[in-house]
Amino acid sequence: AMTPQEEAAFKAPTLEQFTRQSSAYYSTARLWDDGIIAPHQTRDVLGLALAVCGNKAVEDGRFGVFRM
């Protein structure tokens, strides 16, 4: 069995990695998303996205639900 100090030392690298990689800035710096929206721009960005969606006709799909 591990001592509490050994357990803490064993967990430390994983906890540090999780803390660092769970930041939104970490993922957006790697282009895993489309960027971070500043809170004061949320309404404008959402309105623009809905306007774009409203201009596209809905086509019949030939597929089911995609599950990820």
Side-chain angles (χ1 to χ4, degrees), residues 29-44:
R30 284 148 185 82
L31 303 176
W32 294 345
D33 57 26
D34 293 327
I36 297 174
I37 300 169
H40 70 276
Q41 294 177 323
T42 302
R43 186 181 301 249
D44 293 335

Side-chain angles (χ1 to χ4, degrees), residues 10-23:
F10 179 77
K11 289 180 180 180
T14 303
L15 292 172
E16 187 278 327
Q17 181 182 15
F18 177 80
T19 301
R20 185 172 35 87
Q21 292 181 2
S22 64
S23 166

